[in-house]
Amino acid sequence: MTVLLDHPTAPAAEPRRPADERVPAARDPFIDLLRVFGMALIVFQHWTIPVISYDGDRLTTGNALSTPGVWVVTWISQVMPLVFFAGGAANAISFGRWAGPPQRWLATRLRRLAWPLLPLAAVWIPLPQLLLELGVPEQPLTVGSRLTGQLLWFLAVYLIAVTATPYALRLHERYGVLVPVALAAGAVLTDVARFSTGFEAAGYVNVVFVWLAVHQLGFFYVQGRLRRPWLSALGGFGTAALLVAFGPYPGSMIGLPGAAVSNMAPPTLAMLAVGVGQVGLAVLLRPWLVRLRTGRLLAWAGPRIMTVYLWHMPALIAVSGVVVVLLGIDTPAPGSAFWLAGWPGWFGLLCLVLWLLVKVFARFETPPALPYGELGWGSILGAAALAGGGVLTLTVGGFAPGAGPFLALLALLGGLLITGPRARV
């Protein structure tokens, strides 16, 4: 797994800002494009790969990528590594330009992540109970409620990355390439412990090692220190191929039904290798990508990207509930003539529902501008822990009826209240 980077010759005088670029550009169209492209591909994949059927009692969900040989597509379509890489670059740019206390930067980021979750919780906490009272079958409703929460794992992990950013940038300025190398070594040791003992839960330590390693690469990009991206692409994808061929890793970079091992939950060294390959490929294509006329698209999508991520699964659940459960029309076999003929209508209907949801909920992307006071490190870390605990609770249990969603909402509100306005003395 190869990433060629320039090691810094000396630590910066102000470690919060990159050594080579004191004040990075406010926006980088390449990073913005990666974020929007990554989110669009996530939505496209989630809407395209489900194989859904209902027998009048149970809703079953399959995966079109379970087809033999199709797993290789996931080495490109699993874009979460690019999303974390773009997030690392965006955080480095934002923090590098920040003139105030780092705690205030963290509070601002925390509010932007947690605030859009409030309308999602306000809708989905009472909705399952209401639909049950109206006679909707419990099993498909539980499936949909859980899936809506499970996709929030990304926010839980990204919150860790954001909270770690001030510390990670200091380590980056002092140790440079040794930081992602150390994180990769942690991923190796974690996989060794996981596969040698058979204790699958041990693998979840890689949630930190794998995703923070990719996030850290974004710091090098901001400084223009990612060198020879073609070699990083070949090294990353080549290492992943060797790990799949000779190791315990499956070929697919997304979890597949019935698979004994997943590269995604928890993430593995193979996922990190694919992430390095994707970063190298993306940087290699950067000169061509930044010439695309995407300005209007990015201007529209950027302020709505969180809403799209949070509500694209509820859109799928709503359409599936009507088409599959209510009308009894199962999704056709992937690649069949019926699937190809019906896919445009299916996709168009999903886009329409999501467009309506975005029209309603995009206003919650930006938290209210209030006269916020100063926070100490204890307060802001406590707020991050509460918000992260709330998101994690929803990731594990979803919005299925019970106490879990209420406790998650209380934790989110608690985290936001800690960052709220404070009287000035």
Side-chain angles (χ1 to χ4, degrees):
M1 184 168 53
T2 305
V3 185
L4 295 181
L5 309 165
D6 284 346
H7 199 285
T9 57
E14 184 181 351
R16 289 199 297 106
R17 288 179 174 172
D20 330 6
E21 296 186 40
R22 306 306 300 168
V23 182
R27 306 297 308 183
D28 184 326
F30 174 64
I31 294 302
D32 288 343
L33 184 60
L34 285 186
R35 291 173 64 241
V36 171
F37 165 77
M39 201 57 64
L41 192 53
I42 288 169
V43 172
F44 180 82
Q45 186 167 255
H46 286 165
W47 283 358
T48 303
I49 64 176
V51 181
I52 309 171
S53 62
Y54 183 61
D55 62 5
D57 182 39
R58 294 188 61 81
L59 183 75
T60 57
T61 57
N63 194 313
L65 295 178
S66 297
T67 306
V70 179
W71 58 263
V72 70
V73 174
T74 66
W75 288 34
I76 299 297
S77 67
Q78 173 52 277
V79 290
M80 275 303 176
L82 286 183
V83 174
F84 276 99
F85 166 72
N91 287 331
I93 292 171
S94 172
F95 195 72
R97 294 178 61 86
W98 187 258
Q103 303 96 303
R104 191 188 299 172
W105 180 87
L106 280 174
T108 301
R109 284 299 215 218
L110 174 60
R111 285 190 291 269
R112 290 186 65 87
L113 285 173
W115 188 258
L117 286 169
L118 297 184
L120 185 73
V123 170
W124 273 93
I125 287 178
L127 184 62
Q129 191 62 48
L130 176 62
L131 293 178
L132 282 175
E133 295 295 330
L134 293 175
V136 174
E138 181 178 359
Q139 191 271 342
L141 183 58
T142 300
V143 171
S145 300
R146 291 187 180 279
L147 285 176
T148 299
Q150 285 174 6
L151 291 184
L152 300 181
W153 73 266
F154 163 69
L155 294 183
V157 180
Y158 191 66
L159 183 59
I160 295 174
V162 168
T163 305
T165 292
Y167 308 98
L169 280 169
R170 289 180 180 273
L171 291 173
H172 168 75
E173 293 300 332
R174 184 169 184 179
Y175 298 108
V177 68
L178 295 180
V179 180
V181 168
L183 290 168
V188 172
L189 294 176
T190 299
D191 277 2
V192 169
R194 172 187 175 186
F195 293 118
S196 63
T197 65
F199 184 53
E200 282 292 303
Y204 282 95
V205 179
N206 266 349
V207 166
V208 174
F209 288 135
V210 169
W211 297 126
L212 287 191
V214 182
H215 185 267
Q216 200 82 10
L217 295 183
F219 301 166
F220 291 93
Y221 166 79
V222 170
Q223 294 179 313
R225 288 166 52 198
L226 283 178
R227 305 299 186 189
R228 292 184 284 279
W230 63 271
L231 192 54
S232 296
L234 289 177
F237 287 127
T239 300
L242 291 174
L243 290 171
V244 169
F246 299 104
Y249 305 97
S252 175
M253 292 300 133
I254 67 171
L256 296 178
V261 176
S262 170
N263 283 315
M264 183 63 187
T268 63
L269 182 64
M271 175 64 76
L272 177 56
V274 166
V276 171
Q278 288 184 353
V279 169
L281 180 60
V283 176
L284 186 65
L285 295 175
R286 184 186 186 279
W288 176 75
L289 292 174
V290 296
R291 289 197 297 267
L292 296 175
R293 294 186 175 183
T294 57
R296 293 180 64 181
L297 171 64
L298 296 180
W300 181 89
R304 298 169 175 83
I305 193 168
M306 179 71 79
T307 307
V308 170
Y309 181 76
L310 292 178
W311 289 94
H312 79 277
M313 187 56 69
L316 175 63
I317 292 166
V319 172
S320 301
V322 173
V323 174
V324 179
V325 177
L326 184 61
L327 299 180
I329 304 174
D330 295 344
T331 56
S336 66
F338 287 111
W339 187 88
L340 294 172
W343 186 87
W346 171 264
F347 190 75
L349 187 56
L350 287 166
C351 287
L352 175 61
V353 174
L354 180 59
W355 177 76
L356 293 173
L357 292 171
V358 170
K359 289 282 286 184
V360 173
F361 295 109
R363 69 193 68 184
F364 294 97
E365 286 265 346
T366 304
L370 296 172
Y372 294 102
E374 298 298 335
L375 289 173
W377 278 111
S379 297
I380 190 58
L381 293 178
L386 278 173
V391 177
L392 184 61
T393 300
L394 293 176
T395 300
V396 173
F399 289 95
F406 288 99
L407 295 176
L409 178 59
L410 290 176
L412 284 170
L413 289 172
L416 285 170
L417 286 174
I418 291 176
T419 72
R422 300 191 172 199
R424 298 182 183 276
V425 179

